[in-house]
Structure formats: structure tokens, C-alpha cells
Amino acid sequence: MIGPLFRKVAPVRWTQDDVIAAAFTTLEQEGLEGLSLRGVARALGAHLNSVSWYVKTKNSLIEKMADAIIGTVQVDDLPTEPIDRVRVVVGRYRTAMLAHRDGGRLVAGTFAGGGNTLRVAEVIIAALLRAGFSEPDAARLCWSLIYFTLGLTQEEQTAPARLEPDTADLITNGHYPTLAKLGLPLLAEDPYDARFDYGLGRMLDLNA
């Protein structure tokens, strides 16, 4: 009989969800540049092979993480009015990316064509069609909304709190009189929520 000291320990059975959860832990700690399969394995307390079984490369890991982020975008409990539906869904899309360090860059760096992306696009385009947009316009506007949100979110998560002194001086010392007339607060310190709401409103304005 094998004694207690020699009892065989059953191996841990990791799942893909475990790997993705560990990847987000690593992302929060190290940022997108520091994300690696080895780092995910350390966060998981597993061998690298256990991670590689589910994701072969860093790019495939990022694609799965992007799909997971988009998967948190809720498309239920939406307003009845179609344009309001689009506003809410796109707002939730932005919020989902802001919930993670470098979330905007992570999603923007992939072509996340999985089911979660298609689910969000389905709701946006269906609402735009109901609002009276043609099929080509609805498709292109959907892309425009996504690109706008991705770009703004990336800047929001990476931009310094204030302009570099050299940049501020260029604006205020007469080189760019129109920008100087607007002033630094409006150009560089306008809240990102205000920029998002304004840009979204302009793109969805049926009378523009």
C-alpha cells in the first residue's frame, strides 16, 4: 500500500476561462506591453504549456481578451427609440474598454470578429436601419462609431493629464492663432465624456 506521503496528487485542470482571467490580472499589473504568455502562466500558477494549450501566441491571447471585453457589453434593457439604442450600446462599448488598463489599445489592436463583436454590430446596425439609414449608410456609420470610440478611448487611457510645456507654448505664443483663440482648456482639457457625447451626437444627428 502506498503511504500518505506518496499519494499521487491529481493535476490541476485549467480552463480557457482561467487563462483569460489570469491574462486580465497580468494586464492590470503590467500593462499591454508587459503582457506575455509566461506572465499569464505565473499569474495562474501553471506551467507555460498549460497556457499554450489554449492560446498559442500573444496575438491570439489578445484576440480572446478583446472578445471577452466586448462580451461584457450588454445589449438588453435598451431604449425603444432606435437612435437612443445606438447611443446606449456605443456608450457601453466605451465603458467596457475603460474598465481595463489599456483596454482601448487592446481591442483596437485586433480584428475581433467573434460572436461578441457580431452581437454588438447586429444591434447597432438594426437600430440604424430602423432610424431610416440606408443599408450602406448603416454599415459605414456603425464602423465610424466604432472607430471613433476606439480612438477616443485609447487617447483617454494614454494621454498625459496636461499638454507638455513645449506644446502649450507653441499654441499660446502666436504660432497657431486660431488654436490660441480657442484656448488650452477647450483644446486639451475638455473632459473626455464631453468629447464622446458631442462626437456621438454629431454622427447620429439625422439633420446634420
Side-chain angles (χ1 to χ4, degrees):
M1 179 180 296
I2 300 178
L5 294 178
F6 300 97
R7 186 173 299 146
K8 187 176 181 180
V9 178
V12 177
R13 299 293 184 184
W14 306 107
T15 67
Q16 180 170 292
D17 288 344
D18 294 328
V19 171
I20 299 304
F24 278 114
T25 297
T26 305
L27 179 69
E28 299 302 326
Q29 296 173 347
E30 306 293 339
L32 189 57
E33 285 80 6
L35 183 66
S36 68
L37 299 189
R38 291 188 182 277
V40 173
R42 285 194 299 270
L44 193 60
H47 293 294
L48 179 60
N49 287 344
S50 298
V51 174
S52 299
W53 177 262
Y54 294 104
V55 286
K56 305 300 182 185
T57 65
K58 180 177 177 178
N59 284 341
S60 63
L61 173 65
I62 290 174
E63 287 174 358
K64 293 182 185 300
M65 295 172 70
D67 192 61
I69 289 175
I70 299 171
T72 65
V73 179
Q74 298 298 316
V75 293
D76 52 5
D77 299 325
L78 295 174
T80 302
E81 205 280 322
I83 292 299
D84 289 339
R85 292 172 72 87
V86 176
R87 292 180 193 275
V88 170
V89 172
V90 177
R92 291 175 181 178
Y93 184 79
R94 173 176 174 247
T95 299
M97 291 187 289
L98 288 174
H100 300 277
R101 179 179 177 179
D102 294 335
R105 284 200 297 146
L106 186 147
V107 174
T110 67
F111 183 77
N116 287 325
T117 299
L118 298 178
R119 176 177 56 88
V120 171
E122 168 74 17
V123 174
I124 292 175
I125 292 176
L128 291 174
L129 291 173
R130 284 186 56 197
F133 289 90
S134 68
E135 291 182 358
D137 285 347
R140 291 165 185 157
L141 182 52
C142 178
W143 280 119
S144 297
L145 292 166
I146 295 300
Y147 293 150
F148 164 70
T149 307
L150 286 171
L152 188 70
T153 304
Q154 288 181 81
E155 180 172 324
E156 184 173 359
Q157 292 185 312
T158 58
R162 292 186 179 276
L163 288 179
E164 295 293 331
D166 289 346
T167 303
D169 288 343
L170 284 173
I171 293 175
T172 57
N173 66 9
H175 282 81
Y176 304 101
T178 303
L179 300 184
K181 182 179 179 181
L182 290 178
L184 291 179
L186 184 58
L187 285 172
E189 300 170 15
D190 196 32
Y192 281 95
D193 286 349
R195 302 183 200 185
F196 176 74
D197 290 341
Y198 179 83
L200 190 61
R202 291 295 293 178
M203 283 190 284
L204 292 174
D205 185 358
L206 294 175
N207 298 314

